[in-house]
Structures are given as C-alpha cells and as structure tokens.
Amino acid sequence: MQTRELNGQDAEAYYELRLEALLTNPDSFITTYEQEKQRPNPLKTIAERLDSNISRTFGLFSEEKLCGIVTLMKQTHPKFSHKGDVLAMYISPSSRRKGGAVQLLDELIRSARAFGLEQLRLSVVTENTPAKQLYQKVGFQSYGIERKAIKLPERYLDEDHMVLFLET
C-alpha cells in the first residue's frame, strides 16, 4: 500500500470513499450519508478543499485504488497556529488490519512536523475501541472524555479527546 497527499483531481475517488465511510461507520462521523448526498456540487467543493492551503488530505492506495483517507486541518488563529486537527479518518473494511492505517497516520504526522505544528488533536467515539487503539499505537494520548458529545435520534455517544505532542 502507498500513501500520498490528495489533490483536486482525486475528488471523485474521495467522494466515493467518503460515502462508503458514512454508510459503513455512521456513528464515527458527524455528517450523515443523506446530508452528504444532498450537498450541491459535491465534487467541485471537494476538489477546492483538496487543493486548499488550510488542510491536507492524505490517501491510502491499494493497487492504485483509494482505500483510506485522513485530513490534517491546521488551526489558523495565530495563538493556535501550533495545533492541527486530525479529521475524517477512514479505511475500507477490506483494507483494515494490514498496516495501512498506521502508514496513513505516519504520513500525516510527517506533514504536520513539516508545517511546524507542535501538537495534533482528534476526537473519537469512546465505543470505537479499534480506532482508539490505532491512535494510541502512533502515540496519541487521551486527555478527556466529553459525555454526550454526539446526539443521535435514539441515543448519545461520548467522545475521547486525544492529543499527540510532536517533537520540535
């Protein structure tokens, strides 16, 4: 498997994988499949986002097919400019437990260091044990739990907030 930064030309593959993610693991994302499908001009919006200077999205490829994604969002306020957020991590079920997720996060961490970031933050649904273990494996540590962070029609989900301090 290989990783690389995605760009606007990857918008269609990204969108297809994003829809898969929302169907496969709906509790892991704030956006729902229905909301994503209703967005006007999604490919144009995604292409612009993939080409932006504020965020970087990385893809994991198996035999040239996009099978994993993760986004690094740099904080823009000067007092927070040393921080970045890890967003929208997803690996297709057929590509899980093959080392690609660690490879993808390692690429994101290298990029964060190149940007001069000092810490990375993320939130993960507390019940998502495999994701929490993955993040811990690459060095993230929990610094708190937000109770009832996500409200679903029939229940609430708690989120673990995690941080990785990067060596400077």
Side-chain angles (χ1 to χ4, degrees), residues 31-158:
T31 303
T32 66
Y33 177 84
E34 293 76 20
Q35 289 169 326
E36 191 72 26
K37 287 292 285 183
Q38 292 174 4
R39 291 181 195 235
N41 302 315
L43 294 181
K44 180 180 181 226
T45 303
I46 291 168
E48 289 170 356
R49 193 177 327 133
L50 291 175
D51 286 334
S52 96
N53 291 325
I54 296 172
S55 67
R56 297 284 186 262
T57 297
F58 302 92
L60 176 70
F61 293 84
S62 177
E63 298 178 12
E64 299 189 30
K65 180 178 180 354
L66 184 63
C67 61
I69 49 177
V70 67
T71 296
L72 169 63
M73 177 75 68
K74 299 184 296 184
Q75 293 290 315
T76 57
H77 191 284
K79 290 184 178 182
F80 294 140
S81 63
H82 63 294
K83 298 178 188 181
D85 294 304
V86 178
L87 307 168
M89 175 83 180
Y90 177 74
I91 305 291
S92 288
S94 62
S95 298
R96 293 178 185 170
R97 293 173 177 65
K98 297 180 180 178
V102 169
Q103 191 178 344
L104 194 55
L105 285 170
D106 284 346
E107 180 73 16
L108 180 140
I109 292 167
R110 275 193 296 278
S111 181
R113 285 189 172 116
F115 287 145
L117 297 180
E118 298 173 23
Q119 63 178 276
L120 296 174
R121 303 174 306 172
L122 61 84
S123 296
V124 60
V125 172
T126 302
E127 297 170 3
N128 191 344
T129 302
K132 287 181 3 185
Q133 289 173 340
L134 167 67
Y135 298 134
Q136 289 168 339
K137 184 175 184 175
V138 298
F140 282 87
Q141 298 175 331
S142 180
Y143 66 88
I145 296 174
E146 182 179 355
R147 304 281 179 219
K148 297 184 176 184
I150 300 169
K151 184 176 181 177
L152 302 174
E154 69 284 353
R155 64 191 168 105
Y156 291 93
L157 298 173
D158 298 342

